[in-house]
Amino acid sequence: VAVDEAHCISQWGHDFRSSYRKISNFINLLKRRPIVTAFTATASEEVREDIIKLLKLKNPKIFVTGFNRENLTINIVKGGSKKDYLNSYLDNNKDVSGIIYAATRKEVDHLCESLSAKGFNVTSYHAGLSENIRKENQENFIYDRKSIMVATNAFGMGIDKPNIRYVIHYNMPRNIESYYQEIGRAGRDGERSECILLFAPQDVQVQKYLIENSIENPERKNGQYKKLQQMIDFVYSNDCYRKYILEYFGEEYDKNCNDCSNCLSEGEVVDKTIEAQKVLSCIYRMKNKYGSGMLIDVLRG
């Protein structure tokens, strides 16, 4: 018995599916216990332990092949117009295949319509489309009839298209596992590929809203908020992005990749502690829930 996407069995995994909890019962119904194997591309230490426990694996051998994909360049863009950046990037990469991930179905539909109107060869995928349309759109992308796929995180499991040259996240994903799994669909042929995350602060609010409305179990909800915070820390980190991801998955990486937007940045790190203290002091003294505009006006006198 082979269990694929085995992280789905753990409520700490990024794509928990309760039906996976029934697999061990199914195995127990078999007259002779077969060899049981479990596979996933994205499991932290905690999730690996859950996979062993919940699938009731017996003295399993564990193989971790490593998380480092050296042909992927990680680029996080903060600030500026997402739309302008996307249009400019796609104009410069018309001849190659890529995926654009968005957080909601509405955003996917909106992006697909606007890109199509600009003449890009684009299709879409999300759970709100009928099964036939999803299948047709997926095949059009896989067989290069469409070069751009705009999708929610519903798209991608089992997709092994070798020539995806870029993965763009139009919104920040909910957690590092999802992000890593989604960028991992680029460059399967080993050729250089680019992973771009377009970040805006409101992405955080969208993800909080989705967590609040899609998860009932309070323990799992808190776990997802914790993972969201790790994703936010990743975006705001000044260190090498590759190093951050590899260390998150428990892999040692004692150098900088010199191939991500942080390593290649020519900006300097400035200590803003005093300014931050002034802002927090102002919030405390105003004793009311004012917006950032009012705070700025008070601070500037």
Side-chain angles (χ1 to χ4, degrees), residues 61-78:
K61 290 189 171 73
I62 299 171
F63 302 94
V64 181
T65 55
F67 292 90
N68 192 8
R69 298 274 306 282
E70 290 189 354
N71 62 317
L72 301 184
T73 299
I74 297 170
N75 184 5
I76 297 182
V77 179
K78 299 191 275 279

Side-chain angles (χ1 to χ4, degrees), residues 23-256:
I23 294 173
S24 61
N25 295 336
F26 159 71
I27 292 168
N28 287 338
L29 293 173
L30 302 172
K31 284 183 181 173
R32 276 181 58 214
R33 183 181 172 85
I35 292 169
V36 182
T37 56
F39 302 92
T40 171
T42 45
S44 59
E45 191 70 46
E46 190 177 31
V47 173
R48 290 207 288 268
E49 285 169 14
D50 255 8
I51 291 168
I52 293 166
K53 187 174 82 188
L54 297 166
L55 283 176
K56 299 190 171 90
L57 301 180
K58 296 181 177 174
N59 303 317
K61 290 189 171 73
I62 299 171
F63 302 94
V64 181
T65 55
F67 292 90
N68 192 8
R69 298 274 306 282
E70 290 189 354
N71 62 317
L72 301 184
T73 299
I74 297 170
N75 184 5
I76 297 182
V77 179
K78 299 191 275 279
S81 164
K82 290 187 181 190
K83 228 173 217 151
D84 291 349
Y85 185 98
L86 185 66
N87 290 334
S88 165
Y89 185 87
L90 295 179
D91 270 334
N92 293 324
N93 292 273
K94 272 185 173 157
D95 303 327
V96 295
S97 194
I99 303 172
I100 302 165
Y101 280 109
T104 63
R105 299 174 188 183
K106 190 176 170 186
E107 188 81 89
V108 167
D109 290 338
H110 174 69
L111 275 173
C112 193
E113 280 171 30
S114 70
L115 291 174
S116 187
K118 289 185 172 69
F120 291 111
N121 187 18
V122 62
T123 188
S124 66
Y125 190 105
H126 59 67
L129 300 171
S130 73
E131 194 176 336
N132 287 343
I133 290 174
R134 284 203 308 269
K135 189 171 180 233
E136 184 186 341
N137 291 358
Q138 182 167 303
E139 286 182 354
N140 282 340
F141 178 66
I142 287 170
Y143 297 115
D144 290 323
R145 294 190 284 269
K146 298 283 184 182
S147 58
I148 303 167
M149 170 62 81
V150 184
T152 60
N153 60 4
F155 176 77
M157 275 203 181
I159 299 298
D160 198 15
K161 182 173 160 66
N163 63 338
I164 295 171
R165 290 281 73 88
Y166 62 85
V167 170
I168 296 175
H169 281 90
Y170 197 75
N171 308 105
M172 182 189 73
R174 189 181 300 179
N175 49 55
I176 289 172
E177 284 94 338
S178 298
Y179 173 72
Y180 182 78
Q181 190 163 50
E182 285 156 14
I183 65 172
R185 290 172 188 139
R188 293 272 173 102
D189 54 6
E191 297 292 320
R192 301 227 26 102
S193 304
E194 201 166 1
C195 312
I196 299 164
L197 168 53
L198 305 178
F199 176 77
Q202 58 262 39
D203 292 346
V204 177
Q205 301 312 318
V206 171
Q207 291 300 350
K208 283 183 177 175
Y209 174 82
L210 293 173
I211 290 171
E212 205 54 46
N213 288 280
S214 66
I215 300 170
E216 288 178 14
N217 178 331
E219 200 183 1
R220 176 163 160 74
K221 191 177 277 189
N222 285 339
Q224 289 299 309
Y225 276 124
K226 185 177 151 197
K227 283 184 178 292
L228 175 60
Q229 187 57 53
Q230 287 165 329
M231 187 71 210
I232 296 164
D233 292 346
F234 167 68
V235 167
Y236 282 117
S237 165
N238 289 315
D239 291 334
C240 169
Y241 288 129
R242 186 184 302 274
K243 185 177 182 179
Y244 190 105
I245 290 172
L246 295 178
E247 287 179 352
Y248 177 86
F249 286 113
E251 199 169 305
E252 281 187 28
Y253 191 77
D254 54 3
K255 56 185 180 183
N256 289 341

Side-chain angles (χ1 to χ4, degrees), residues 3 5-6 9 40 95 162 164 187 257 262 264 287:
V3 181
E5 308 294 356
I9 199 168
T40 171
D95 303 327
I164 295 171
C257 71
N262 264 356
L264 298 172
K287 291 186 173 15

